[in-house]
Amino acid sequence: MSARVLVVDDVLPNVKLLAAKLTREYFNVITASNGPEALEMVRRESPDIVLLDVMMPGMDGFEVCEKIRSNPATMHIPVVMVTALSDGADRVRGLEAGADDFLTKPVNDIALFARVRSLVRLKMMMDEWRLRETTSGQLGVLEPTGTLNSESFEGARVLVLEDSLLDLGRVAETLKRDHGHVMSADTCAAALERALGDDLDLVVISLTLMNEDGLRLCSQLRSHERTRQVPILLMVEEGDLNRVAKGLELGANDYISKPIDRNELLARARTQIRRKRYQERLRANYEQSLSMALTDSLTGVFNRRYINAHLPRLLERAIDNHKPVAILLFDIDHFKVVNDSYGHIVGDEVLKEVSSRASRNLRTFDLVARLGGEEFVVILPDTDADAALTVAERLRTRIADTLFKVSADVGEIPVTVSIGVAVGGRLGDTAEGLIRRADEALYEAKRAGRNCTVADPPASALMAP
């Protein structure tokens, strides 16, 4: 996963070392040497994450972080403080200033890369929800949501997996300062049963269990729809960075080292609970207000009206962030024959199943819309031409390789689609131009025999075998 990383440090060798490590991992690195310069870079370059030194002359890292968090335009950018300070009070101060994590110099590469990738994934998801809310607000069907810091962390329902009675007592007592509902479990099976039966705001998982692997529960929580979005805070032994990295890769949101500092635990728990509630508010507000206005009543995916409002903003953001955005324009081959042969009820069944297969085979922040008739569009943020072709081919084969069950006497019918691919993100690109290029590629796919994918500029069509 690539991302733009802003490295802020007043010591040039530190900047060069960190930049070299990140560049080697294919991150795009920009730098700043002091607080005011960092704030200007944040405003102008819109980085995906900020690695921020604390001890800088004039404006220190704590103040820079607070200013980033106080600006609605930048408050959602993840901030990781990188510093020689290792005292627990300094970590708590950084977390309370709005930092997402606190890494101590010399920075361990495993912890650094795992944390950056985890936070960038989170930012991409939150960016998409915020952008959709902005689009909906422009259409006059959605009231703006508040800020992350305006969310309450009180009264949360927290589950703790820990088999050490001493550690469990310390953690539960600390969390009860904020949260009246702290539940516990001493096995992964018991914890999973509780999580699936309750609406939780946070799950705290110990990775020092005597007879079980807490990462197994982490994986299980992310595999169930009911618990997929619940924040996970890991408790780990000091220095156990390999398991921390694995946990973040599996979907954990944060971690804290034992022995547990009570104030740090509270700060990290509050951050995760606020973030979950803010994300839920975004999603609920968005879904409730847009359900009728911006979705296709037959298939349940977005409609042309939403695309006309959303795509220009998405493309504008892609150009500003120097990142590509791809669209797939596809329609159902010989759909008129389906309607003429089996009736419009079967035609509607095919349209619904096509949209369902498309939605199931995309990322959570990708977008599917029905433009009208049998024509659909898929929007893929942060996706280059090669990746877009791969997605298009996967989508085409998922539709073509399995017969469609229909209510007609025949029982099942074959359905295929033709797909045109176009990628934008360069200065001067427009939404209309991007759709036109994809439409031209789609036309070429039909001329090539249908059931294939063609990219703009036209290359050799990717034909069905």
Side-chain angles (χ1 to χ4, degrees), residues 279-454:
Q279 183 178 334
E280 286 178 340
R281 188 182 298 274
L282 281 173
R283 182 184 293 112
N285 196 7
Y286 166 80
E287 290 176 351
Q288 179 180 3
S289 301
L290 300 188
S291 178
M292 297 300 294
L294 301 174
T295 56
D296 177 59
S297 59
L298 175 66
T299 63
V301 299
F302 293 107
N303 59 21
R304 180 183 290 272
R305 180 184 181 191
Y306 182 80
I307 292 299
N308 289 342
H310 181 68
L311 184 56
R313 290 191 58 82
L314 185 62
L315 186 57
E316 179 182 344
R317 187 181 73 181
I319 293 171
D320 290 342
N321 293 342
H322 311 290
K323 291 184 177 181
V325 58
I327 68 169
L328 316 180
L329 195 63
F330 69 93
D331 67 14
I332 301 171
D333 296 328
H334 304 298
F335 185 66
K336 186 176 185 301
V337 175
V338 173
N339 280 329
D340 291 346
S341 301
Y342 307 108
H344 288 279
I345 292 178
V346 170
D348 288 349
E349 292 170 355
V350 169
L351 289 170
K352 288 190 283 188
E353 179 61 16
V354 166
S355 64
S356 176
R357 293 189 190 186
S359 300
R360 292 198 304 267
N361 287 283
L362 297 168
R363 301 169 297 184
T364 56
F365 50 83
D366 295 331
L367 186 149
V368 184
R370 181 185 176 200
L371 296 183
E374 69 272 26
E375 191 171 38
F376 293 82
V377 65
V378 175
I379 300 179
L380 307 172
D382 196 13
T383 304
D384 61 21
D386 290 339
L389 278 171
T390 300
V391 173
E393 272 299 282
R394 183 177 68 230
L395 176 58
R396 183 189 63 77
T397 57
R398 293 291 191 276
I399 291 172
D401 289 355
T402 304
L403 294 175
F404 280 51
K405 293 182 179 180
V406 295
S407 59
D409 292 340
V410 68
E412 295 179 329
I413 61 173
V415 175
T416 63
V417 297
S418 301
I419 306 178
V421 179
V423 179
R426 298 169 298 184
L427 192 64
D429 282 343
T430 64
E432 295 80 5
L434 191 59
I435 291 177
R436 183 176 63 254
R437 287 162 47 206
D439 190 51
E440 291 170 353
L442 171 59
Y443 181 73
E444 289 298 323
K446 290 186 173 295
R447 290 187 61 185
R450 293 184 167 84
N451 190 23
C452 65
T453 300
V454 171

